[in-house]
Amino acid sequence: MLFLVLSILSCSTDENFIDSQTNTTIKTTNNDLERTVAFVAENKNNPFDYAGKTYNAILQEYDNHNFPSSNLQDVVERVESIANNLTDFIALKNSNAYVHVKHETLANIIGGNYLITYAFADSGLSPNGQDVLSNFIVNLKTQVEGQSKATVHTFIMDFEDTLWQQTNLSTNDKKIILSTTSILRYANAESKNGNIDDWIRIKTRITATLSSIAQNTAEGVLNAAVIGALQNNNN
């Protein structure tokens, strides 16, 4: 089942690159009347939401500096410099013995040579954890491609709230999955509604996060932020 699910997810092309906000305002249409709905990306019920908050803080600061380079080395250096001046990242880095991001892995993700299947293998998740996350991602793909950001946000929140209660997952599984979904919630807040490009962008951030989060949460956050910065630069 896991192989089939990941094969489906690996079929879409990992290319195209996309802004960043914690508070997002969206517009929905109902009976020809347009109304504005505001939501906050944060989920206070997720004990690992510091992952998404730190990821978002890095990207916000990056965007504030208007650094449009598409060179991986340049972006990594700028993102790491920003992160190392943020209190939340410093705390995360110190608690995880963070060293630096792996340029080769990021280059392979960008080039489409490091697939989400590889990320699952490197994620540190148990077989049960991999099944739970892969099924969630398949359903998330449908949500991202056809629903509003607010609907996707609620979908992620509901999953997080129920996952914490699951008894067949280890504490490590829950940490990895909930750290990843935290980053996805903030990535969703950046997206355009119902656009296939949004799924490609979100899937690459899942891949970037899972590629290293088992070894180091700080590195998983930074990998996702580097990919996010590159995608925003190419928007």
Side-chain angles (χ1 to χ4, degrees):
M1 176 61 73
L2 175 62
F3 177 78
L4 177 60
V5 168
L6 293 179
S7 296
I8 293 171
L9 292 175
S10 296
C11 288
S12 55
T13 305
D14 284 325
E15 59 187 25
N16 267 346
F17 291 109
I18 305 190
D19 22 33
S20 177
Q21 288 181 322
T22 301
N23 299 314
T24 300
T25 299
I26 65 171
K27 292 182 177 179
T28 61
T29 301
N30 183 18
N31 295 328
D32 297 324
L33 294 177
E34 193 175 65
R35 60 189 178 88
T36 300
V37 181
F39 69 89
V40 178
E42 180 183 18
N43 181 5
K44 294 181 179 179
N45 293 328
N46 183 341
F48 305 104
D49 209 35
Y50 54 77
K53 289 181 180 178
T54 306
Y55 155 88
N56 186 70
I58 294 169
L59 278 187
Q60 283 191 325
E61 189 65 21
Y62 183 92
D63 289 346
N64 289 341
H65 283 76
N66 189 26
F67 186 70
S69 176
S70 294
N71 179 274
L72 176 60
Q73 179 67 37
D74 291 345
V75 173
V76 168
E77 289 178 0
R78 179 59 62 95
V79 168
E80 283 191 316
S81 176
I82 290 170
N84 285 324
N85 283 286
L86 295 176
T87 302
D88 288 345
F89 183 79
I90 292 171
L92 189 59
K93 177 178 70 171
N94 291 341
S95 66
N96 284 263
Y98 167 79
V99 181
H100 55 75
V101 300
K102 296 180 177 65
H103 290 69
E104 182 179 359
T105 299
L106 288 172
N108 283 329
I109 291 172
I110 294 167
N113 298 315
Y114 183 94
L115 305 177
I116 196 168
T117 49
Y118 306 159
F120 264 77
D122 293 337
S123 67
L125 289 168
S126 70
N128 280 341
Q130 291 187 37
D131 283 341
V132 169
L133 183 58
S134 62
N135 287 327
F136 163 76
I137 292 174
V138 168
N139 291 325
L140 177 66
K141 182 177 186 290
T142 301
Q143 294 285 323
V144 169
E145 292 179 349
Q147 303 296 329
S148 70
K149 285 191 288 186
T151 300
V152 174
H153 173 74
T154 300
F155 174 76
I156 296 173
M157 293 267 287
D158 288 345
F159 171 78
E160 291 175 322
D161 291 345
T162 58
L163 181 111
W164 189 245
Q165 308 302 322
Q166 293 193 29
T167 58
N168 65 328
L169 296 176
S170 68
T171 300
N172 185 59
D173 281 339
K174 292 177 181 180
K175 179 181 179 180
I176 292 171
I177 293 172
L178 290 172
S179 297
T180 302
T181 57
S182 174
I183 291 172
L184 294 183
R185 254 187 295 104
Y186 286 88
N188 172 62
E190 305 166 28
S191 66
K192 299 174 183 177
N193 293 343
N195 189 315
I196 185 63
D197 290 350
D198 292 342
W199 170 246
I200 294 170
R201 182 173 51 79
I202 287 175
K203 191 179 78 167
T204 54
R205 297 192 202 188
I206 297 171
T207 304
T209 302
L210 291 178
S211 69
S212 57
I213 200 166
Q215 293 78 30
N216 195 295
T217 303
E219 186 176 336
V221 168
L222 208 62
N223 275 359
V226 169
I227 293 296
L230 285 165
Q231 290 175 326
N232 290 350
N233 285 346
N234 286 276
N235 184 23

